[in-house]
């Protein structure tokens, strides 16, 4: 990769989870003592929501916009998707005013009864994403289906939030996004693809079917979380240019952050065809088509280029199940099918779950007992708030 600007290095340091202060000497590869997930303190989700909104207002956003961002991040934390919740806020702080334009306004470039193309103009990804999915939902109510693509946007949090927006209204929701490059196409020695997640949410009882997964074997944020906990990476998540697995999480994160092809995450299926690496590679390419190609935006390899930066691209879809017949009958059949899967015999010590079961359990637990946050994430949020003159006391005590 080309040499990075000071801004790019700052962003990589922020993505590593380091506290950014006005005069701090940043070391993106410095690791704190290992912290287990179980040792995390819990915090009131309502108070965290207000704190995020306060910070957003200090950055120049309206309070309503602040709540939108808070709700997307809070969704991830409440559903146990820790890699895409408040720990992402440090990234936004590092990008605010450069990759993220706090004054950016989205522009509709194309609009039909079933589709919309939006230029996000470096507006926060959560704001672009919610507007785009709302448009899809409205179109689906009228025509049965709504599709939208967004270009020149920013990190939008958990893809599953937008799919769930549709499912909450009885629709089938789909969302995907490309990212900045960090994934190696199968057998390549140069990172070129993103983690490129795909999320699908479908109405069902007792809760929606919820699938949200990167097309890489693991999300980048998971590598961060393992490094924060001082844990060894399992299996083949990250490889070096010779296609050899890296298991030291701190070393792997450091190599990834330098963005000079010292390492890359592998696609779903791993680093060989024998394990199915070509499948995740193909899914990632499909994400590029529906996000970047159709919107006229930047493919992952070009998202970090340009002045101002090209930015990333998203895709959204809402489908009204009435186009398949009686929506309640469809929901009932699907719910019955999911229960049949849950009832299958399981290996000793395990239970058969379907997608969404773990998230539903996490939501119930965390709404009642609070959101667990890593100490480093709490330190980051306090530092951001302090730098803006926002009082975090009461939310992060």
């Amino acid at each position: 990769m080309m040499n990075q600007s000071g801004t790019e290095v700052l962003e990589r340091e922020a993505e590593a989870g380091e506290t950014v202060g006005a005069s701090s000497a940043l070391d993106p590869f410095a690791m704190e003592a290992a912290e287990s997930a179980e040792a995390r303190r819990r915090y009131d989700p309502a108070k965290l929501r207000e704190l995020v909104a306060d910070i957003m207002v200090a950055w120049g956003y309206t309070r309503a916009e602040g709540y939108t961002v808070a709700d997307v991040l809070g969704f991830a934390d409440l559903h146990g998707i820790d890699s895409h919740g408040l720990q992402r806020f440090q990234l936004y702080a590092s990008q605010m005013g450069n990759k993220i334009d706090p004054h950016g306004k989205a522009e509709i470039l194309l609009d039909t009864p079933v589709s919309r193309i939006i230029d996000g103009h470096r507006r926060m990804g959560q704001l672009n994403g919610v507007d785009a999915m709302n448009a899809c939902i409205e179109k689906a109510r009228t025509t049965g289906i709504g599709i939208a693509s967004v270009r020149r946007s920013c990190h939008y949090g958990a893809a599953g939030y937008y799919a769930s927006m549709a499912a909450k209204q009885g629709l089938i929701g789909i969302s995907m996004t490309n990212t900045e490059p960090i994934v190696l196409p199968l057998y390549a020695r140069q990172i070129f693809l993103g983690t490129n997640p795909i999320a699908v949410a479908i109405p069902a009882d007792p809760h929606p079917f919820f699938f949200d997964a990167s097309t890489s074997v693991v999300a980048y944020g998971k590598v961060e979380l393992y490094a924060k906990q001082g844990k060894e990476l399992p299996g083949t998540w990250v490889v070096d240019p010779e296609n050899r697995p890296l298991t030291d999480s701190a070393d792997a994160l450091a190599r990834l952050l330098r963005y000079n092809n010292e390492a890359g995450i592998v696609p779903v299926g791993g680093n060989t065809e024998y394990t199915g690496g070509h499948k995740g590679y193909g899914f990632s390419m499909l994400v590029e088509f529906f996000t970047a190609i159709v919107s006229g935006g930047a493919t992952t390899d070009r998202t970090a280029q340009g002045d101002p930066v090209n930015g990333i691209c998203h895709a959204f879809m809402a489908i009204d199940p009435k186009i398949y017949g009686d929506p309640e009958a469809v929901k009932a059949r699907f719910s019955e099918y999911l229960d049949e899967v849950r009832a299958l015999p399981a290996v000793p010590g395990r239970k058969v779950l379907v997608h969404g079961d773990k998230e539903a359990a996490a939501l119930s637990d965390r709404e009642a007992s609070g959101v667990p946050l890593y100490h480093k994430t709490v330190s980051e949020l306090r530092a951001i708030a302090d730098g803006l003159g926002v009082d975090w006391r009461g939310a992060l005590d």
Side-chain angles (χ1 to χ4, degrees):
M1 297 287 289
M2 300 293 289
N3 290 335
Q4 298 172 1
S5 68
T7 295
E8 290 171 324
V9 171
L10 178 62
E11 289 167 1
R12 297 304 160 203
E13 289 166 341
E15 289 179 345
E18 297 303 311
T19 299
V20 176
S23 59
S24 60
L26 299 176
D27 178 2
F29 314 129
M31 298 304 303
E32 290 186 350
E35 180 183 5
S36 70
E38 295 74 19
R40 293 174 292 174
R41 283 189 56 191
R42 290 185 178 242
Y43 298 86
D44 185 333
K47 292 179 179 179
L48 292 176
R49 183 176 189 259
E50 293 298 329
L51 176 61
V52 170
D54 288 342
I55 292 173
M56 294 295 296
V57 169
W59 275 333
Y61 292 90
T62 67
R63 193 154 197 86
E65 290 172 330
Y67 283 139
T68 295
V69 174
D71 288 344
V72 178
L73 297 177
F75 173 91
D77 281 326
L78 284 168
H79 285 80
I81 312 171
D82 297 331
S83 59
H84 283 68
L86 286 176
Q87 90 138 5
R88 293 285 87 189
F89 218 70
Q90 182 74 349
L91 172 65
Y92 306 146
S94 71
Q95 293 185 344
M96 192 59 59
N98 47 77
K99 286 189 176 179
I100 299 173
D101 181 359
H103 307 294
K105 303 295 182 184
E107 176 187 4
I108 297 174
L109 303 176
L110 179 147
D111 199 42
T112 78
V114 298
S115 64
R116 178 171 293 181
I117 302 296
I118 299 170
D119 189 321
H121 287 296
R122 293 188 296 128
R123 190 174 176 229
M124 281 202 78
Q126 289 86 352
L127 304 179
N128 285 328
V130 167
D131 284 353
M133 182 51 92
N134 278 333
C136 290
I137 290 170
E138 183 180 351
K139 291 176 184 297
R141 289 295 187 202
T142 303
T143 68
I145 189 168
I147 303 171
S149 293
V150 180
R151 72 188 192 195
R152 291 210 292 174
S153 188
C154 306
H155 189 277
Y156 77 163
Y161 178 84
Y162 310 98
S164 294
M165 285 175 61
K168 286 179 179 178
Q169 298 195 37
L171 307 176
I172 300 162
I174 302 173
S175 181
M176 58 190 78
T177 184
N178 69 2
T179 73
E180 292 192 5
I182 201 165
V183 174
L184 292 161
L186 189 61
Y187 302 135
R189 299 184 63 178
Q190 177 180 329
I191 56 174
F192 198 80
L193 296 171
T195 54
N196 291 13
I198 300 173
V200 181
I202 304 174
D205 289 321
H207 56 77
F209 174 88
F210 178 79
F211 176 80
D212 182 357
S214 63
T215 54
S216 55
V217 73
V218 68
Y220 173 81
K222 279 287 182 65
V223 180
E224 288 182 312
L225 289 179
Y226 269 71
K228 283 187 175 182
Q229 296 176 64
K231 292 170 62 176
E232 187 173 279
L233 298 181
T236 302
W237 283 10
V238 183
V239 298
D240 68 12
E242 304 306 319
N243 208 27
R244 295 174 300 206
L246 302 173
T247 58
D248 184 309
S249 59
D251 176 51
L253 182 61
R255 292 179 185 226
L256 291 172
L257 287 170
R258 286 193 283 267
Y259 263 55
N260 59 4
N261 294 305
E262 289 182 50
I265 298 174
V266 300
V268 162
N271 60 336
T272 73
E273 288 180 81
Y274 301 106
T275 56
H278 60 290
K279 298 177 182 179
Y281 174 24
F283 287 136
S284 186
M285 299 286 274
L286 292 177
V287 172
E288 295 291 346
F289 176 81
F290 285 108
T291 60
I293 299 300
V294 300
S295 71
T299 51
T300 285
D301 56 299
R302 295 176 173 86
T303 54
Q305 299 175 6
D307 185 16
V309 69
N310 290 329
I312 63 177
C313 305
H314 322 303
F316 308 87
M317 183 183 299
I319 302 170
D320 192 331
K322 71 181 181 184
I323 66 175
Y324 301 115
D326 179 0
E328 290 304 315
V330 172
K331 181 178 179 180
R333 286 196 297 271
F334 190 44
S335 299
E336 181 180 356
Y337 170 75
L338 296 179
D339 282 341
E340 289 176 355
V341 174
R342 293 184 180 102
L344 292 172
V347 299
R350 292 289 186 176
K351 181 180 180 181
V352 178
L353 301 174
V354 300
H355 301 83
D357 287 351
K358 283 186 175 182
E359 291 79 4
L363 178 63
S364 178
D365 168 65
R366 295 180 179 196
E367 283 184 331
S369 303
V371 172
L373 297 177
Y374 287 98
H375 172 71
K376 180 172 279 190
T377 300
V378 173
S379 297
E380 292 165 357
L381 288 168
R382 288 174 176 174
I384 293 168
D386 284 340
L388 295 167
V390 172
D391 187 3
W392 50 262
R393 291 162 185 81
L396 294 175
D397 289 334

